[in-house]
Amino acid sequence: MKLYELTAYELSERLTSGEVSAAEVTEAYFERIESVEEKVAAYLELTQDVAMEQARQVDDWRAGGEQPGPLAGVPVAIKDVLCTRGIRTTCGSKMLKGFRPPYDATTVRRCRDAGMPMLGKTNMDEFAMGSSTENSAYKVTRNPWDLDRVPGGSSGGSAAAVAAGMAPIALGSDTGGSIRQPAALCGISGLKPTYGRVSRYGLVAYASSLDQVGPLARDVRDCALAMNVLAGRDQYDATSADVDVPDYVAALTGDVEGLRAGVPKELMGEGIDPAVRTTIEAAIGQFEELGMAIEEVEMPNLDHSLPVYYVIAPAEAASNLARYDGVRYGHRTEEDVSDVYDLFAKTRGEGFGPEVRLRIMLGTFALSAGYYDAYYLKAQKVRTLIKQDFDAAFEDHDVLLCPTSPTVAFGIGEKADDPLQMKLAHVCTIPVNLAGIPALSIPCGMVDAMPVGLQIMGRPFEEATIMRVGDAYQRATDYHRQRPEL
Amino acid sequence: MYGLAFPKCPLPIPNSRRKVIQMPMEPMIGLEVHAQLNTESKMFCSCSTKFGAEPNSNVCPTCLGLPGSLPVPNRRAVEYVIRTGAALNCQTAARCRFARKNYFYPDLAKNFQISQYDEPLTHDGYIDLDVDGEQVRIRIRRAHLEEDTGKNIHLATGSSLVEYNRSGIPLMEIVTEPDFTTAEQCREYLTQLRLILRCIGVSNANMEEGAMRAEPTVNLVDRETGEATPKVEIKNLNSIRAVYQAVSYEIERQRRAVAEGREDELFQQTRRWDEDKGVTVLMRRKETSDDYMYFPEPDLVPLEPEPEWVEEIYASCPELPAERRERFCTEYDLPRYDAEVLTESRQLADYFEETCKRFEGSAKMVSNWLMGDVMSLLNEAGITIDQSPISCEMLAELLRLIKEDVISGKIAKDVLATMFETGRSAAEIVEEEGLEQISDTGALESVIDEVIEENPGPVEDVRAGKDKAIGFLVGQVMRKTQGQANPQMVNEMLREKLT
């Protein structure tokens, strides 16, 4: 087995035992990147020098008798939405072309401190708005399982990099499904943690009340390893929670006997591709075999998730993205301008792509005087109802199960002109962000030779439970071991 | 009235065809005050708030609004607003939120300002004012917390620079109900508010430095019918005096427009105070209220100050300047003017009281020395009372020496100056320089005899009953003794000898 085919956990064992060095592992990854990146186009920026220096540092530690953490020497790819000190951070937007932040995101710093060499920055939908990574201003990332299909989005670069063996672990961000849906479409595992579980400091904001950073990896155990590095309170993020962080790897006992799972009717019905539904039902059968009790649950307010999301997220985005005005950093128009407002308008008109402009306009409308109550305020109220549906469902159930994506990966360009269809790609994942709960996507079968993802949702701060369930499934199946041919 | 461009109302109405509003209309004025809180660090990051630093040096990703940065509230700033709420008889909310005020401007790093909207930290208070003997209660609608913006600097070349050192400095906004009816009340309010903010140590409240900014809203209302002229907001006021003048001007402007039926001049607008010309000038018409697209700040959790903490802040609210002023009048029997001057700063008032405690004599004497010689020494040196080299113990000792006739008041002035210069005690200086008053009759007698001998003219005058001449003779004795003679004794001895 080649080094790039190993999971992070397996790499960690070999690194700890001294069987391989961090430099060898990192080199192996850059060799793999060199051979397949041209086809997949997952990265916006490669940081080989930085990675090699970090890898050698880890090797020096180990040579000096130090015992760095289990992920020391295991490389990581970073979604381009996370600030990396001195390294270009563009969010897939022309607006931030060439922008080098003077600081590291907390999650990036934690990876650095854990000794994880940074492979590079991965492609994404502009400002994390999209479901296919086609909204990137720079390149189209391809699904490693079928290069004519999308990898999902917005963390499509991170998902494709892991699926193609170009990174063992990648960081993504998830506002409405941007970690889980690409993980599903690329046949890997991805976790969106509870809102507040992982610091957002240095995560370029799309929708502040929904955004969360999380890992994408080959299996659940690798996600757990990554969460041991990422999770925990951060003094620089006032919304990060002061809740104890368990050892997520130790929580993977393989025992799910007696756990109760609910299957929300609203996320299994209309709009779900029948073949995907069949695959999910088979996976649910597998959980029954593992000793879990399964029953259908009704969560009627989930039907409103998409409209609620498309009021709240654009409203927050309109405000969050107001700072890109050409005054301090990033793109500035080269046209003649009549005054400062003309400078703002031209800069923003040129720097933002069509989807971002659309959402800024939507959000501005929703927050405007006279419309605020009817849109933003109402959406917040319905959001509370959606949360209450989850609270009720979790009274009797430990986890909830449903498809991650209503379909398998679609063709490049197929939905590019149909914004509604594109948005429906996140229909199963959006309720999770609105409720602030954690959810995991794991591969659970194939349709049309493309991977299908199963979503496992849990109570707030019970990442350990959903990962235990996902890991138990992966112990019993081998969908997560399947790899695309490249 | 200062510099008003037209005479007082009511004016003769020049044109009978014009619509005339006959009702007496009363001014209705509200004040919005922004005060910079004097915390060490900024509102949402740990950058220094130090004034006068190199441009754009006190900045970080958060106050520059860099992508990915997040705000973390400054607990001290929250405390200061609660403290202000306590001083202004406000209630502190058990739970409140920050909100985003969205608008585009280059000095606004994020193109939104983190402020508070429908849930302020403190609300519903009042302040009682004494305006020329009349008691007035002004209701405080709210005092809330927000961040300051940066500053645009426009160059003569036509280009502009932006300075972000001020960006993110904590600001408190204090909004009154429109309870003021005169410019005098506005002036007294700002004067008292400034004293209070300084007294409780939350802001230096200096309007000239921009640490306190006031924006009045002025209109006229008929209290009976409720009919009112449209509201006018006045900006660009850099001193309390400017507020007083601008409000006076604006009241008269609106009154005249009403009296003359020039309704086209009465519309909702923002006006700018032109200090040089002494007039308010139209800045912009306000067709509709500005839409700032307020919504709750999603990067911050609701603010829930712990009840014990709030209680502690309220309980530790010091005696406020107005109360202290009253107490100084009654407890120390001081004239109102003295009490006002002494309570202008908490440090000065403390110094006064500490000195009184250590001096067994009249408080008025302490006040006289403090307000006179001590203050002028401080002013000359450009320092404040808390930086004075003369402690209250030292001043009390000096006053005791005067009271016990060890030195004369005149000599004491010199001693005080030496104390200020050297930091030495009064007793030490008097001892070393031999400045004790000559109260020994034997020693004085020979000098007095000499003076009588040398000044036959005035001596005759005194004998003839012209009392004024005795002052001249006392002066001569004082001169011969280099001021060390006890003038009281000299006076008595002279009278004895000449009558």
Side-chain angles (χ1 to χ4, degrees), chain B residues 86-110:
Chain B
L88 298 177
N89 307 295
C90 289
Q91 291 165 37
T92 291
R95 183 180 197 270
C96 69
R97 276 195 294 193
F98 288 100
R100 287 190 187 175
K101 181 179 181 179
N102 294 284
Y103 65 96
F104 280 86
Y105 208 63
D107 66 9
L108 193 57
K110 302 180 292 294

Side-chain angles (χ1 to χ4, degrees), chain A residues 103 202 319-320 322 325 328-329 369, chain B residues 65 67-68 100 102 109 111 164 291 299:
Chain A
Y103 74 109
S319 176
N320 282 330
D325 57 11
R328 291 159 296 273
Y329 47 79
Chain B
R100 287 190 187 175
N102 294 284
N111 282 320
Y164 292 103
D291 186 358
D299 283 329

